[in-house]
Amino acid sequence: MKLSVGAGLAGVAAAAVAVGTSEVVAVLTGPLTAPVPAVGGVVIDNVPGPVKDFGISVFGVHDKTALIVGTGVLLAIYAYGVGVVARRSWRLGLAGIGLFAAVGVAAAQTRHDASVFAWLPTVVGAALAVWVLRLLLDRAGAGSAAPVVAEPVVAGVAGRGPTSAPGGAGATGPGRDATGGPDGGATAGAPIGPAYVEDRRYFLKLLGIAFGAAAATGFGGRWLASRRAVTAARNDVVLPAPRQTPPPLPAGVQVPGVTPYISPNKDFYRIDTALIPPQVDPSTWQLRIHGMVRNPITLTWEQLLQRPMIERYVTLACVSNEVGGDLIGNALWLGTPIRELLEEAGPLPGADQVVQRSVDGWTCGSPTSVLMDGRDALLAVGMNGEPLPVDHGFPARMVVPGLYGYVSACKWITEIELSRFADFDAYWVPRGWAAQAPIKTASRIDTPRDGASRKPGSVVVGGVAWAQHRGIDKVEVQVDDEPWAEATLAATVSSDTWREWSFGWPATPGQHRLRVRATDGSGVTQTSTPAAPAPDGASGWHSISVRID
Ligand SMILES: Nc1nc2c(c(=O)[nH]1)N[C@H]1C(S)=C(S)[C@@H](COP(=O)(O)O)O[C@H]1N2
Ligand SMILES: [Mo]
């Protein structure tokens, strides 16, 4: 092993220990105050919109994992460099670790869960990194920093015999005092030349211990954090009964082979800017309704649960959903009508925007007129018969039929501020997305899958179509360039949910293109003009190719 490689690995191990231990400290100071999630969060909030769209479209709901892995790789490269540099100049190495700490601390300060101790995870991690790096460099023959030295010599050849090799106090070993590089500071005499021992095995063992400790503390910290999370509080929640029982699901809402009509919570798509979902304790949660209102209101969790609740099926959709994509889901939401709360608060004339703010500072804005036009816009606390999952906004979120999530569906909501569109731009607006965005009429083929093959004869084609709050009146399928044929619509519960459909296709041998288009309740057929998701939702007809043989 080249000395520089050893030093580089020592740097990576030191960084790993820093990151791992910081996760343990962050159990006490808040999960976002650990340096990696903190920096990742800053990146999410600051990358330009198009890059983030790219992230979402490429990684889908796994964009966060990709970000963490990417941050880890960058950090490893940086730490490798710090290790190599530190072998030549301990001071520069320290500066490298200091820079890491400064970035981590600065990022942690900006996180919503930052307290006065937000610096602690990074600083503890960095201190341990200094110690681990020193320890490892000493064993990697760091003292032989003389540029002339090439490969290390065989163990035991030179001066420092068994007495100083493994674990000696270090001061006399090839280390600390002998950093004889150009900027080594304490130049205690000339470089020692080959007079050192690289006990490679011992070094590797230490390296292994460091990585092991890093993994144990990192995963252990995350595990502890999840135990401390609001899971327990969520398990204790007893949801109130709705004032009307939900309309029973009609028979035949489900077409075989098509996406489930109700999306189970665990499969429900998740989109948000939170690297770690905010952990909100309902016992301290509050919702403040203020701004341009006659009568500001503050609600506690207890008070919210005492309000009249209704339960409604509503299909939520993300504006980033591509034609044919799956960033859409349908659930039974339990909540209190937001219109009634807004009426109590009394919006002032001109307050055309209802800004919703999450505990982590994320915002979205919905038209006041939409929230008050009588549709079932909910301040929701329940999803498919359970308290909201933490990923989906526990303890409370908004659900508005007919508007894309980024302009209406604030999770972990804590503030509602009546404002004007002219006065306030919510989170995604300065990033290039429309301030107002009703969901576009859309349809999707779920079966057969694109590229599938089938036997000739009758083939069932099926899928979903949605135009929330307008409803779906017609779905048509086109085979190749034949005339459009009407599909059979499945039952549905309301105009606020998607609708499944099926079509019996007399399939003949060959390669065929199938397309679908929907017509909404106001009689408008979805446009064939393709549009990308930005700025206000994708459009165009979903098209698949099927082989019949
Ligand atoms: N606090 C917060 N709420 C948020 C978001 C967010 O980033 N932060 N994303 C919104 C977007 S873009 C969508 S599509 C929906 C998705 O809700 P879901 O994750 O429960 O499916 O949440 C909305 N609510
Ligand atoms: Mo979204």
Side-chain angles (χ1 to χ4, degrees), residues 301-383:
W301 177 240
E302 293 298 312
Q303 289 166 333
L304 170 57
L305 293 192
Q306 272 154 25
R307 295 192 62 89
M309 294 280 165
I310 60 176
E311 216 167 13
R312 290 290 183 271
Y313 293 98
V314 177
T315 300
L316 223 65
C318 182
V319 71
S320 298
N321 200 28
E322 304 274 354
V323 171
D326 58 4
L327 299 179
I328 177 166
N330 187 34
L332 178 61
W333 306 95
L334 173 78
T336 192
I338 195 66
R339 176 176 36 87
E340 296 174 10
L341 270 167
L342 292 177
E343 275 162 3
E344 286 174 35
L348 296 177
D352 60 356
Q353 179 175 221
V354 178
V355 176
Q356 305 148 44
R357 190 169 283 112
S358 152
V359 297
D360 64 359
W362 185 86
T363 51
C364 66
S366 316
T368 312
S369 56
V370 166
L371 299 195
M372 301 191 69
D373 71 359
R375 72 183 75 196
D376 292 322
L378 300 178
L379 174 58
V381 296
M383 180 177 185

Coordinates of all heavy atoms in Angstrom, one line a residue, residues 301-383:
W301 N -53.8 20.4 19.5 CA -54.2 19.1 19.0 C -55.5 18.6 19.6 O -56.4 18.1 18.8 CB -53.1 18.1 19.3 CG -53.3 16.7 18.9 CD1 -53.3 15.6 19.8 CD2 -53.4 16.1 17.6 NE1 -53.5 14.4 19.1 CE2 -53.6 14.7 17.7 CE3 -53.5 16.7 16.3 CZ2 -53.7 13.9 16.6 CZ3 -53.7 15.8 15.2 CH2 -53.8 14.5 15.4
E302 N -55.7 18.8 20.9 CA -56.9 18.4 21.5 C -58.1 19.2 20.9 O -59.2 18.6 20.6 CB -56.9 18.8 23.0 CG -55.9 18.0 23.9 CD -56.3 16.6 23.9 OE1 -57.5 16.3 24.1 OE2 -55.4 15.7 23.6
Q303 N -57.9 20.5 20.7 CA -59.0 21.3 20.1 C -59.3 20.8 18.7 O -60.5 20.8 18.3 CB -58.6 22.8 20.1 CG -58.7 23.3 21.6 CD -58.0 24.7 21.6 OE1 -57.1 25.0 20.8 NE2 -58.4 25.5 22.6
L304 N -58.3 20.5 17.9 CA -58.5 20.1 16.6 C -59.3 18.8 16.6 O -60.3 18.6 15.8 CB -57.2 19.8 15.8 CG -57.2 19.1 14.5 CD1 -58.1 19.9 13.5 CD2 -55.9 19.0 13.9
L305 N -59.0 17.8 17.4 CA -59.7 16.5 17.4 C -61.2 16.7 17.9 O -62.0 15.9 17.6 CB -59.0 15.5 18.4 CG -57.6 15.1 17.9 CD1 -57.2 13.9 18.7 CD2 -57.6 14.7 16.4
Q306 N -61.5 17.8 18.6 CA -62.9 18.0 19.0 C -63.7 18.7 17.9 O -64.9 18.7 18.0 CB -62.9 18.9 20.2 CG -62.8 18.0 21.5 CD -62.2 18.7 22.7 OE1 -62.3 20.0 22.7 NE2 -61.6 18.0 23.6
R307 N -63.1 19.1 16.8 CA -63.9 19.7 15.8 C -64.6 18.7 15.0 O -64.2 17.5 15.0 CB -63.0 20.5 14.9 CG -62.3 21.7 15.6 CD -61.7 22.7 14.6 NE -62.7 23.2 13.7 CZ -63.3 24.3 13.9 NH1 -63.1 25.0 15.0 NH2 -64.2 24.8 13.0
P308 N -65.7 19.1 14.3 CA -66.4 18.1 13.5 C -65.5 17.5 12.4 O -64.8 18.3 11.7 CB -67.5 18.9 12.9 CG -67.3 20.3 13.2 CD -66.3 20.4 14.3
M309 N -65.5 16.2 12.3 CA -64.7 15.5 11.3 C -65.5 14.9 10.2 O -66.6 14.3 10.5 CB -63.9 14.4 12.0 CG -62.9 15.0 13.0 SD -61.4 15.5 12.2 CE -60.6 16.5 13.5
I310 N -65.0 14.9 9.0 CA -65.6 14.1 7.9 C -64.6 13.2 7.3 O -63.4 13.4 7.5 CB -66.3 15.0 6.9 CG1 -65.3 15.9 6.2 CG2 -67.4 15.8 7.4 CD1 -65.8 16.7 5.0
E311 N -65.0 12.2 6.6 CA -64.1 11.3 6.0 C -64.4 11.2 4.5 O -65.5 11.0 4.1 CB -64.2 9.9 6.6 CG -62.9 9.2 6.8 CD -63.0 7.9 7.7 OE1 -64.1 7.5 8.0 OE2 -61.9 7.4 8.0
R312 N -63.4 11.4 3.7 CA -63.6 11.5 2.2 C -62.5 10.8 1.5 O -61.3 10.9 1.9 CB -63.6 13.0 1.8 CG -64.8 13.8 2.3 CD -66.1 13.4 1.6 NE -67.2 14.2 1.9 CZ -68.0 13.9 3.0 NH1 -67.8 12.9 3.7 NH2 -69.0 14.7 3.2
Y313 N -62.9 10.2 0.4 CA -61.8 9.7 -0.6 C -61.4 10.8 -1.4 O -62.2 11.5 -2.0 CB -62.4 8.6 -1.4 CG -62.7 7.3 -0.7 CD1 -64.0 7.1 -0.3 CD2 -61.7 6.4 -0.4 CE1 -64.3 5.9 0.4 CE2 -62.0 5.2 0.3 CZ -63.3 5.0 0.7 OH -63.6 3.9 1.4
V314 N -60.1 11.1 -1.5 CA -59.5 12.1 -2.3 C -58.3 11.6 -3.0 O -57.4 11.0 -2.3 CB -59.2 13.4 -1.5 CG1 -58.6 14.4 -2.5 CG2 -60.5 14.0 -0.9
T315 N -58.1 11.8 -4.3 CA -56.9 11.4 -5.0 C -56.0 12.6 -5.0 O -56.3 13.6 -5.5 CB -57.3 10.9 -6.4 OG1 -58.2 9.8 -6.3 CG2 -56.0 10.5 -7.1
L316 N -54.8 12.3 -4.5 CA -53.7 13.3 -4.4 C -52.8 13.1 -5.6 O -52.5 12.0 -5.9 CB -52.9 13.1 -3.1 CG -52.5 14.3 -2.3 CD1 -53.8 15.0 -1.7 CD2 -51.7 13.8 -1.1
A317 N -52.3 14.2 -6.2 CA -51.4 14.0 -7.3 C -50.3 15.0 -7.3 O -50.5 16.2 -6.8 CB -52.2 14.2 -8.7
C318 N -49.1 14.6 -7.7 CA -48.0 15.5 -7.7 C -47.8 16.1 -9.1 O -47.9 15.4 -10.1 CB -46.7 14.7 -7.3 SG -45.2 15.8 -7.2
V319 N -47.4 17.4 -9.1 CA -47.2 18.1 -10.3 C -46.0 17.5 -11.1 O -46.0 17.7 -12.3 CB -47.0 19.6 -10.1 CG1 -45.7 19.9 -9.4 CG2 -47.2 20.4 -11.3
S320 N -45.1 16.9 -10.4 CA -44.0 16.3 -11.1 C -44.3 15.0 -11.8 O -43.4 14.4 -12.4 CB -42.9 16.0 -10.1 OG -42.4 17.2 -9.5
N321 N -45.5 14.5 -11.6 CA -45.9 13.2 -12.3 C -45.8 13.4 -13.8 O -46.4 14.3 -14.4 CB -47.3 12.9 -11.9 CG -47.6 11.4 -12.1 OD1 -46.7 10.6 -12.1 ND2 -48.9 11.1 -12.4
E322 N -45.1 12.5 -14.4 CA -45.0 12.5 -15.9 C -46.2 11.8 -16.4 O -46.9 11.0 -15.7 CB -43.7 11.7 -16.3 CG -42.4 12.1 -15.7 CD -41.8 13.2 -16.6 OE1 -42.3 13.6 -17.6 OE2 -40.8 13.8 -16.1
V323 N -46.5 12.0 -17.7 CA -47.6 11.2 -18.4 C -47.3 9.7 -18.2 O -46.2 9.3 -18.5 CB -47.6 11.6 -19.9 CG1 -48.6 10.7 -20.6 CG2 -48.0 13.0 -20.0
G324 N -48.2 9.0 -17.6 CA -48.0 7.6 -17.4 C -47.3 7.3 -16.1 O -47.1 6.1 -15.7
G325 N -47.0 8.3 -15.3 CA -46.3 8.1 -14.0 C -47.1 7.7 -12.9 O -48.4 7.7 -12.9
D326 N -46.5 7.5 -11.7 CA -47.2 7.0 -10.6 C -47.1 7.8 -9.3 O -47.2 7.4 -8.2 CB -46.7 5.5 -10.3 CG -45.2 5.5 -10.0 OD1 -44.6 6.5 -9.9 OD2 -44.7 4.4 -9.8
L327 N -46.8 9.2 -9.5 CA -46.8 10.0 -8.3 C -48.3 10.5 -8.1 O -48.6 11.7 -8.1 CB -45.9 11.2 -8.6 CG -44.4 10.9 -8.8 CD1 -43.6 12.1 -9.1 CD2 -43.9 10.1 -7.6
I328 N -49.1 9.6 -7.8 CA -50.5 9.8 -7.6 C -51.0 8.7 -6.7 O -50.6 7.6 -6.8 CB -51.3 9.9 -8.9 CG1 -52.8 10.1 -8.7 CG2 -51.0 8.7 -9.8 CD1 -53.5 10.6 -9.9
G329 N -52.0 9.0 -5.8 CA -52.5 8.0 -4.9 C -53.9 8.4 -4.4 O -54.2 9.6 -4.3
N330 N -54.7 7.4 -4.0 CA -56.0 7.7 -3.5 C -56.2 7.1 -2.1 O -55.9 6.0 -1.9 CB -57.0 7.0 -4.5 CG -58.5 7.3 -4.2 OD1 -58.8 8.4 -3.8 ND2 -59.3 6.4 -4.4
A331 N -56.7 8.0 -1.2 CA -56.8 7.5 0.2 C -58.1 8.0 0.8 O -58.7 9.0 0.2 CB -55.6 7.9 1.0
L332 N -58.5 7.4 1.9 CA -59.6 7.9 2.7 C -59.1 8.8 3.7 O -58.3 8.4 4.6 CB -60.4 6.7 3.3 CG -61.6 7.0 4.2 CD1 -62.7 7.7 3.4 CD2 -62.1 5.7 4.8
W333 N -59.4 10.1 3.6 CA -58.8 11.1 4.6 C -59.9 11.4 5.6 O -61.0 11.7 5.3 CB -58.4 12.3 3.8 CG -57.4 12.0 2.7 CD1 -57.8 11.9 1.4 CD2 -56.0 11.9 2.8 NE1 -56.6 11.6 0.6 CE2 -55.5 11.6 1.5 CE3 -55.1 11.9 3.8 CZ2 -54.2 11.4 1.2 CZ3 -53.8 11.7 3.5 CH2 -53.3 11.5 2.2
L334 N -59.4 11.5 6.9 CA -60.3 12.0 8.0 C -59.8 13.4 8.3 O -58.6 13.6 8.6 CB -60.2 11.1 9.2 CG -60.9 11.5 10.4 CD1 -62.4 11.3 10.3 CD2 -60.4 10.8 11.7
G335 N -60.7 14.3 8.4 CA -60.3 15.7 8.7 C -61.4 16.6 8.9 O -62.6 16.2 8.7
T336 N -61.1 17.8 9.3 CA -62.1 18.8 9.5 C -62.2 19.8 8.3 O -61.1 20.1 7.8 CB -61.9 19.6 10.9 OG1 -63.1 20.3 11.2 CG2 -60.7 20.5 10.8
P337 N -63.4 20.1 7.9 CA -63.4 21.0 6.7 C -62.7 22.3 6.9 O -63.0 23.0 7.9 CB -64.9 21.2 6.5 CG -65.6 20.1 7.1 CD -64.7 19.7 8.3
I338 N -61.7 22.6 6.1 CA -60.9 23.9 6.3 C -61.8 25.1 6.1 O -61.6 26.1 6.7 CB -59.7 23.9 5.4 CG1 -58.7 24.9 5.9 CG2 -60.0 24.1 4.0 CD1 -58.0 24.6 7.2
R339 N -62.8 25.0 5.3 CA -63.7 26.1 5.1 C -64.3 26.6 6.4 O -64.3 27.8 6.6 CB -64.9 25.7 4.1 CG -65.9 26.7 3.8 CD -66.9 26.2 2.8 NE -67.2 24.8 3.0 CZ -68.1 24.3 3.8 NH1 -68.9 25.1 4.6 NH2 -68.3 23.0 3.9
E340 N -64.7 25.7 7.2 CA -65.4 26.2 8.5 C -64.3 26.9 9.4 O -64.7 27.9 10.0 CB -65.9 24.9 9.2 CG -67.0 24.3 8.4 CD -67.5 22.9 9.1 OE1 -67.1 22.6 10.2 OE2 -68.3 22.2 8.4
L341 N -63.1 26.4 9.4 CA -62.1 27.1 10.2 C -61.8 28.5 9.6 O -61.7 29.5 10.3 CB -60.8 26.3 10.2 CG -60.7 25.3 11.3 CD1 -59.5 24.4 11.1 CD2 -60.5 26.1 12.7
L342 N -61.7 28.6 8.2 CA -61.5 29.8 7.6 C -62.6 30.8 7.8 O -62.4 32.0 8.0 CB -61.2 29.7 6.1 CG -59.9 28.9 5.7 CD1 -59.9 28.7 4.2 CD2 -58.7 29.6 6.2
E343 N -63.8 30.3 7.8 CA -65.0 31.2 8.1 C -64.9 31.8 9.5 O -65.2 33.0 9.7 CB -66.3 30.4 7.9 CG -66.8 30.4 6.4 CD -67.8 29.3 6.1 OE1 -68.2 28.6 7.1 OE2 -68.2 29.2 5.0
E344 N -64.5 30.9 10.4 CA -64.4 31.5 11.8 C -63.3 32.5 11.9 O -63.4 33.5 12.6 CB -64.0 30.3 12.8 CG -65.2 29.5 13.1 CD -64.8 28.3 13.9 OE1 -64.0 28.4 14.8 OE2 -65.4 27.2 13.7
A345 N -62.2 32.3 11.1 CA -61.1 33.3 11.1 C -61.5 34.6 10.4 O -61.1 35.7 10.7 CB -59.9 32.7 10.5
G346 N -62.4 34.4 9.4 CA -62.9 35.6 8.6 C -61.8 36.3 7.8 O -61.2 37.3 8.2
P347 N -61.6 35.8 6.6 CA -60.6 36.4 5.7 C -61.0 37.8 5.4 O -62.1 38.1 5.1 CB -60.6 35.5 4.4 CG -61.2 34.2 4.8 CD -62.2 34.6 6.0
L348 N -60.0 38.7 5.3 CA -60.3 40.1 5.0 C -60.4 40.2 3.4 O -59.8 39.4 2.7 CB -59.1 41.0 5.5 CG -59.0 41.1 7.0 CD1 -57.8 41.9 7.4 CD2 -60.3 41.6 7.6
P349 N -61.1 41.2 2.9 CA -61.2 41.4 1.5 C -59.8 41.4 0.9 O -58.9 42.1 1.4 CB -61.9 42.7 1.3 CG -62.6 43.0 2.6 CD -61.8 42.2 3.7
G350 N -59.6 40.8 -0.3 CA -58.4 40.8 -0.9 C -57.4 39.7 -0.6 O -56.4 39.4 -1.2
A351 N -57.7 39.0 0.5 CA -56.9 37.8 0.9 C -57.1 36.7 0.0 O -57.8 35.7 0.4 CB -57.1 37.5 2.4
D352 N -56.5 36.7 -1.2 CA -56.8 35.6 -2.1 C -56.0 34.4 -2.0 O -56.2 33.4 -2.7 CB -56.7 36.2 -3.6 CG -55.4 36.7 -3.9 OD1 -54.5 36.7 -3.0 OD2 -55.2 37.2 -5.1
Q353 N -55.0 34.4 -1.1 CA -54.1 33.2 -1.0 C -54.1 32.7 0.4 O -53.9 33.5 1.4 CB -52.7 33.6 -1.4 CG -51.7 32.4 -1.3 CD -50.3 32.6 -1.9 OE1 -49.8 31.7 -2.5 NE2 -49.7 33.7 -1.6
V354 N -54.3 31.4 0.6 CA -54.1 30.8 1.9 C -52.8 30.1 1.9 O -52.6 29.1 1.3 CB -55.2 29.7 2.1 CG1 -55.0 29.0 3.5 CG2 -56.6 30.4 2.1
V355 N -51.8 30.7 2.6 CA -50.5 30.2 2.7 C -50.4 29.2 3.8 O -50.9 29.5 5.0 CB -49.4 31.3 2.9 CG1 -48.0 30.7 3.1 CG2 -49.5 32.3 1.8
Q356 N -49.9 28.0 3.5 CA -49.8 26.9 4.6 C -48.3 26.7 4.8 O -47.5 26.6 3.9 CB -50.4 25.6 4.0 CG -51.9 25.8 3.6 CD -52.3 24.9 2.5 OE1 -52.0 23.7 2.5 NE2 -53.0 25.4 1.5
R357 N -48.0 26.7 6.1 CA -46.5 26.5 6.4 C -46.3 25.3 7.3 O -47.0 25.1 8.3 CB -46.1 27.8 7.2 CG -44.6 27.9 7.4 CD -44.1 29.3 7.8 NE -44.1 30.3 6.7 CZ -44.9 31.3 6.6 NH1 -45.8 31.5 7.5 NH2 -44.8 32.1 5.6
S358 N -45.3 24.5 6.9 CA -45.0 23.3 7.7 C -44.0 23.6 8.8 O -43.4 24.7 8.8 CB -44.4 22.3 6.7 OG -43.5 21.5 7.3
V359 N -43.9 22.8 9.7 CA -42.9 23.0 10.9 C -41.5 23.2 10.3 O -40.7 23.8 11.0 CB -42.9 21.9 11.9 CG1 -44.3 21.7 12.6 CG2 -42.5 20.5 11.3
D360 N -41.2 22.6 9.2 CA -39.8 22.8 8.7 C -39.7 24.0 7.7 O -38.7 24.2 7.1 CB -39.3 21.5 8.0 CG -40.1 21.2 6.7 OD1 -41.1 21.9 6.4 OD2 -39.8 20.2 6.1
G361 N -40.7 24.8 7.7 CA -40.6 26.1 7.0 C -41.1 26.0 5.5 O -41.2 27.0 4.9
W362 N -41.4 24.8 5.0 CA -41.9 24.7 3.7 C -43.2 25.3 3.6 O -44.0 25.3 4.5 CB -42.0 23.2 3.3 CG -42.4 22.9 1.9 CD1 -41.6 22.8 0.8 CD2 -43.7 22.7 1.4 NE1 -42.3 22.5 -0.3 CE2 -43.6 22.5 0.0 CE3 -45.0 22.6 2.0 CZ2 -44.7 22.2 -0.8 CZ3 -46.1 22.4 1.2 CH2 -46.0 22.2 -0.2
T363 N -43.5 26.0 2.4 CA -44.8 26.6 2.3 C -45.5 26.3 1.0 O -44.8 25.9 0.0 CB -44.7 28.2 2.3 OG1 -43.6 28.5 1.3 CG2 -44.3 28.7 3.6
C364 N -46.8 26.4 1.0 CA -47.5 26.3 -0.3 C -48.7 27.3 -0.2 O -49.1 27.7 0.9 CB -48.0 24.9 -0.6 SG -49.2 24.2 0.6
G365 N -49.3 27.7 -1.3 CA -50.4 28.6 -1.3 C -51.5 28.1 -2.1 O -51.3 27.8 -3.3
S366 N -52.7 28.2 -1.6 CA -53.9 27.8 -2.3 C -54.9 29.0 -2.5 O -54.9 29.8 -1.6 CB -54.7 26.7 -1.6 OG -53.9 25.7 -1.1
P367 N -55.6 29.0 -3.6 CA -56.6 30.1 -3.7 C -57.6 30.0 -2.5 O -58.2 29.0 -2.3 CB -57.2 29.9 -5.0 CG -56.3 29.0 -5.8 CD -55.6 28.2 -4.8
T368 N -57.9 31.1 -1.9 CA -58.9 31.2 -0.8 C -60.2 30.7 -1.4 O -61.0 30.0 -0.7 CB -59.0 32.6 -0.2 OG1 -57.7 33.1 0.0 CG2 -59.9 32.6 1.0
S369 N -60.5 31.2 -2.6 CA -61.8 30.8 -3.2 C -62.0 29.3 -3.4 O -63.1 28.8 -3.1 CB -61.9 31.5 -4.6 OG -60.8 31.1 -5.4
V370 N -60.9 28.6 -3.7 CA -61.0 27.2 -3.8 C -61.3 26.5 -2.5 O -62.1 25.6 -2.4 CB -59.7 26.6 -4.5 CG1 -59.7 25.1 -4.4 CG2 -59.6 27.0 -5.9
L371 N -60.6 27.0 -1.5 CA -60.8 26.3 -0.1 C -62.1 26.6 0.4 O -62.6 25.9 1.3 CB -59.7 26.8 0.8 CG -58.2 26.5 0.5 CD1 -57.3 26.7 1.7 CD2 -58.1 25.0 -0.1
M372 N -62.8 27.6 -0.1 CA -64.1 28.0 0.5 C -65.3 27.7 -0.5 O -66.4 28.1 -0.1 CB -64.1 29.5 0.9 CG -63.0 29.7 2.0 SD -62.9 31.2 2.8 CE -64.4 31.1 3.9
D373 N -65.0 27.1 -1.6 CA -66.1 26.9 -2.6 C -67.0 25.7 -2.3 O -67.9 25.4 -3.1 CB -65.6 26.9 -4.0 CG -64.8 25.6 -4.3 OD1 -64.7 24.7 -3.5 OD2 -64.3 25.4 -5.5
G374 N -66.8 25.1 -1.2 CA -67.7 24.0 -0.8 C -67.2 22.6 -1.0 O -67.7 21.6 -0.6
R375 N -66.0 22.5 -1.7 CA -65.4 21.2 -1.9 C -64.9 20.7 -0.6 O -64.7 21.4 0.4 CB -64.4 21.2 -3.0 CG -63.1 21.9 -2.6 CD -62.1 22.0 -3.7 NE -62.5 23.0 -4.7 CZ -62.0 23.0 -6.0 NH1 -61.1 22.1 -6.4 NH2 -62.4 24.0 -6.8
D376 N -64.6 19.4 -0.5 CA -64.1 18.8 0.7 C -62.7 19.0 0.9 O -61.9 18.0 1.0 CB -64.5 17.3 0.7 CG -66.0 17.0 0.7 OD1 -66.7 17.8 1.4 OD2 -66.4 16.1 0.1
A377 N -62.3 20.2 1.1 CA -60.9 20.6 1.4 C -60.7 20.3 2.9 O -61.5 20.9 3.7 CB -60.6 22.0 1.1
L378 N -59.8 19.5 3.3 CA -59.7 19.0 4.7 C -58.4 19.4 5.3 O -57.3 19.4 4.7 CB -59.8 17.5 4.8 CG -61.1 16.9 4.2 CD1 -61.0 15.3 4.4 CD2 -62.3 17.4 5.0
L379 N -58.5 19.8 6.6 CA -57.3 19.8 7.5 C -57.3 18.3 8.1 O -58.1 18.0 8.9 CB -57.5 20.8 8.6 CG -56.4 20.8 9.7 CD1 -55.0 21.0 9.1 CD2 -56.7 21.9 10.7
A380 N -56.5 17.5 7.5 CA -56.6 16.0 7.7 C -55.8 15.5 8.9 O -54.6 16.0 9.1 CB -56.3 15.3 6.5
V381 N -56.3 14.6 9.6 CA -55.5 13.9 10.7 C -55.4 12.4 10.5 O -54.7 11.7 11.2 CB -56.1 14.2 12.1 CG1 -56.1 15.7 12.4 CG2 -57.6 13.7 12.2
G382 N -56.3 11.9 9.6 CA -56.3 10.4 9.4 C -56.2 10.0 8.0 O -56.6 10.8 7.1
M383 N -55.6 8.9 7.7 CA -55.4 8.4 6.3 C -55.7 6.9 6.3 O -55.0 6.1 7.1 CB -53.9 8.7 5.9 CG -53.5 8.2 4.6 SD -51.8 8.7 4.2 CE -51.6 8.2 2.5

